[in-house]
Amino acid sequence: MSAYIAPGELPSLSEVCLHGVASNCGQDSGNGHVLAMLPPHDEHQTKRTRTNPGKILVTARAGLSRRIRGRLSELPTMPLDILYEIFGHLLPSDLLTLSRVNKDFRQLLMSRRSLFLWKRSYNLVSDAPPCPEDMSEPAWAHLLFGGNYCYSCGAKPVTKILFSLRRRACKSCMRMQYVTTSSILSDITHRASPMPTGNTIHQSKPWCTEHIWDEDIKAFRLEFNALAPRVLDPNGSPDEMEVLFSEFLDRKKKQVAYIKEHARVCVEWEKERNADRSAVLSDVKAKRLEDIKARFAELGYVEEDVKQLRWHREVSVSKPLSDRVWQRIEPLLIPEINKARDMRLRHAGDERYLERRGLVVDQWARFMTTLPPLHLAFLPSFLGFLCQNRGLACAVAMANDPENQTLNEQTREAISRLGPELETEKRERAAILRRSTDEQVLSLATSVYTCVSCDQTMSGLHTLAHHCYGPRTQGPELEFSDEGRITVEMLLDVMGLGKETGPGKETTELEMDRREDRFVCVGCSMATYGGIRNTLPCIVRDWRSCIAHSCSKEPEDRTWLLIGETLREGLRWDGDPIFGAYACMRCPLPVDRRCGFIEWQGLGAIKEHIKKE
């Protein structure tokens, strides 16, 4: 029930806080002056800053700009009749947010005098379910619009509302605080539940269709224990005790029936609200895609290529596209749309495009022959190089370019920028490695590391050229590998270079590479298929392949065998973990001009080629 209050009768917000008109207990105290109800002033207490009775002291840190303080910083100084007029146009979620600004607003909005504001705010929400009889308007607004978090642990996000239990709960709290109806109602009644139940099925109790929240059980037992002295009165008649107990259960069951019916209405409202919101977000997402199409059309791209980006994480977003957002996402989308255009034109068999693309591949291959070997490890693929450079990609797809003048200029410009970028990346990668370990230790054969992102094992200076396929893109994050160290120490013992048999402690990875020794893991020479134990050919490995090798045995339990040239015949070779990564730098690189690939060869093929030359 809300009473009409004339605007002239309303005090200011500061008077409400000083005189106790809007107290946390929710009791009306009228418009009279109640300073006499305050505790007596103690002369020895520290004096508080005196404020104007008609205003609230708005504290703000010195030096803050008006933008940081906010344009509504003068709002608390307004009279209550003006504040009520403003608050009457706010939604329930806005009133909740406003009540959390400071204590003054909270005391005002949580007072019974402000009840009419909450009721008026619900009228602004289309088809909002009415506030239930057993909840206050602010509590109901908190349940509907107060935030997607768990009421027990505060976990986010919790979008589903348990209307029958009047709360939001995460899955972990549901597993901990849900109690099955069969385990609690057997000692009370076998009929309908006198407590609110939820029908959310979770993994820990999939066989049960209804659950009770443990806090509701505690509240029910407290109320039942309050009735126990009357029910268990020795002087009372059994019929009277049965009547009291039946009335109590009937009253609780009626409450539960009302809660279930109200929850059914709320669930239907929530479904319609979510459907409407999904439709709105879908329209915003479609509008964002159309805006991106228009902006790419201005840059010369066709709509068919832009459609390939519709599932990109920066495109499939339900947020409007502003100039500021476009300035941020344009560098991210340019390589992707260039890839889409390149794939479309190559699959269509556009001979002019393929010919111009082949010219760039030829210059790319000649540029690779001028690079130091270490720079090749940082070099992007040709497709990445082509699509990252917007001017070059557009020049390749250009229809009118007599004598390929524009294409040659763009190619030379893109390649000239690439050299310094590779040198910078090499220095940054080297700085990361120097911070992680000593340079002399890094060159030892026993210095084996594992990339945290992609879990790839590598040794020594090979970490400098590691191309990580994990989520990190700013250089590798390395950690020392004990398994790799153990494997190398066992190989050194087999070679006679271990700590006990030779100077294995100072053996470097370069010395290991020059020896060209081959090993066999004895534990992997047998295998079982279909219950029958068969002898399989042993696999020959070099020392780097042994580090990356994994079998059923632990590293310290494996047995390695050093074999010579005569014993390698008939055995499988797995000593080249990066097969097809070599080329003769004295000869022109074999290039597939149609696909834009360098036809790399294996280590064995390169060795045979060098012997022939």
Side-chain angles (χ1 to χ4, degrees), residues 379-583:
L379 196 67
S381 63
F382 172 76
L383 182 61
F385 164 74
L386 176 64
C387 297
Q388 286 287 347
N389 295 272
R390 174 187 163 192
L392 177 59
C394 293
V396 174
M398 186 179 298
N400 299 322
D401 184 18
E403 299 181 0
N404 300 324
Q405 181 178 358
T406 304
L407 178 63
N408 294 331
E409 292 178 357
Q410 291 292 337
T411 304
R412 286 194 298 267
E413 182 181 353
I415 290 178
S416 64
R417 293 195 305 265
L418 192 58
E421 293 176 0
L422 296 176
E423 181 64 26
T424 301
E425 185 174 357
K426 184 192 75 170
R427 295 181 182 276
E428 292 177 354
R429 186 74 65 87
I432 295 175
L433 294 180
R434 290 191 184 99
R435 289 196 299 266
S436 61
T437 184
D438 184 72
E439 187 172 353
Q440 295 181 352
V441 176
L442 186 65
S443 62
L444 297 180
T446 53
S447 298
V448 183
Y449 300 89
T450 301
C451 180
V452 177
S453 300
C454 61
D455 201 31
Q456 184 175 348
T457 303
M458 66 209 78
S459 60
L461 295 175
H462 275 212
T463 56
L464 185 64
H466 170 58
H467 180 74
C468 183
Y469 293 94
R472 294 179 58 90
T473 57
Q474 298 180 354
E477 183 180 353
L478 305 174
E479 62 179 13
F480 191 78
S481 174
D482 289 329
E483 294 186 4
R485 177 187 57 80
I486 294 174
T487 301
V488 175
E489 290 178 351
M490 295 179 66
L491 296 179
L492 291 174
D493 290 337
V494 173
M495 297 165 56
L497 300 176
K499 295 180 181 180
E500 298 180 357
T501 58
K505 185 176 181 181
E506 303 297 332
T507 303
T508 63
E509 59 170 353
L510 183 59
E511 295 172 351
M512 293 285 288
D513 291 334
R514 289 174 176 174
R515 289 179 60 94
E516 296 187 355
D517 292 317
R518 299 294 180 260
F519 307 90
V520 169
C521 179
V522 179
C524 297
S525 60
M526 302 291 291
T528 302
Y529 291 98
I532 303 175
R533 195 165 183 81
N534 300 317
T535 301
L536 298 180
C538 297
I539 299 178
V540 181
R541 308 175 186 273
D542 64 357
W543 76 280
R544 294 187 185 274
S545 178
C546 294
I547 296 175
H549 171 60
S550 61
C551 65
S552 58
K553 294 185 178 182
E554 296 296 330
E556 57 272 11
D557 297 332
R558 297 172 188 169
T559 302
W560 294 98
L561 179 64
L562 178 65
I563 61 176
E565 291 286 347
T566 57
L567 298 178
R568 299 178 192 177
E569 298 180 1
L571 302 181
R572 289 189 295 167
W573 165 247
D574 190 35
D576 188 8
I578 44 177
F579 179 80
Y582 302 91

Side-chain angles (χ1 to χ4, degrees), residues 255-325:
Q255 294 177 1
V256 172
Y258 169 77
I259 291 175
K260 286 187 175 182
E261 178 61 24
H262 187 271
R264 184 188 63 79
V265 176
C266 294
V267 169
E268 294 297 329
W269 170 81
E270 186 183 27
K271 289 181 180 179
E272 296 178 359
R273 182 168 174 263
N274 292 338
D276 295 341
R277 177 170 175 78
S278 298
V280 172
L281 295 179
S282 179
D283 293 340
V284 174
K285 187 184 299 184
K287 180 64 168 56
R288 183 185 179 99
L289 179 59
E290 293 300 325
D291 293 342
I292 292 177
K293 288 181 181 179
R295 293 185 183 261
F296 272 123
E298 297 176 358
L299 299 178
Y301 294 94
V302 298
E303 183 178 354
E304 184 178 356
D305 297 334
V306 183
K307 287 183 179 180
Q308 303 299 322
L309 306 180
R310 61 185 181 274
W311 303 119
H312 192 277
R313 58 186 179 89
E314 295 293 349
V315 177
S316 181
V317 179
S318 301
K319 293 182 180 179
L321 182 68
S322 61
D323 294 338
R324 185 175 181 179
V325 173

Side-chain angles (χ1 to χ4, degrees), residues 30-165:
N31 294 333
H33 200 283
V34 291
L35 288 177
M37 300 175 59
L38 298 177
H41 177 66
D42 188 356
E43 295 294 340
H44 299 284
Q45 292 181 353
T46 304
K47 292 185 178 181
R48 302 177 63 182
T49 304
R50 186 175 181 179
T51 60
N52 190 337
K55 296 183 179 180
I56 292 180
L57 180 62
V58 181
T59 59
R61 288 181 294 172
L64 294 180
S65 64
R66 179 179 177 83
R67 179 181 178 184
I68 298 179
R69 290 199 305 268
R71 298 180 179 180
L72 300 179
S73 59
E74 301 296 329
L75 186 64
T77 64
M78 297 181 180
L80 279 182
D81 52 352
I82 299 179
L83 290 179
Y84 277 149
E85 183 65 27
I86 296 174
F87 295 166
H89 299 277
L90 299 181
L91 297 174
S93 57
D94 299 328
L95 291 179
L96 275 176
T97 303
L98 194 60
S99 67
R100 296 166 180 170
V101 172
N102 54 34
K103 294 182 179 179
D104 298 333
F105 280 132
R106 182 173 183 81
Q107 289 177 348
L108 174 65
L109 293 175
M110 295 303 166
S111 171
R112 291 189 180 183
R113 286 180 175 272
S114 302
L115 185 60
F116 72 97
L117 291 175
W118 294 95
K119 292 183 177 180
R120 185 185 299 176
S121 67
Y122 286 118
N123 297 330
L124 302 177
V125 182
S126 60
D127 301 330
C131 179
E133 300 175 354
D134 56 336
M135 293 184 69
S136 63
E137 277 75 7
W140 182 241
H142 175 65
L143 180 62
L144 296 181
F145 314 105
N148 299 335
Y149 64 89
C150 176
Y151 286 7
S152 298
C153 66
K156 294 182 180 181
V158 180
T159 58
K160 184 176 179 58
I161 304 176
L162 305 176
F163 286 103
S164 59
L165 301 178

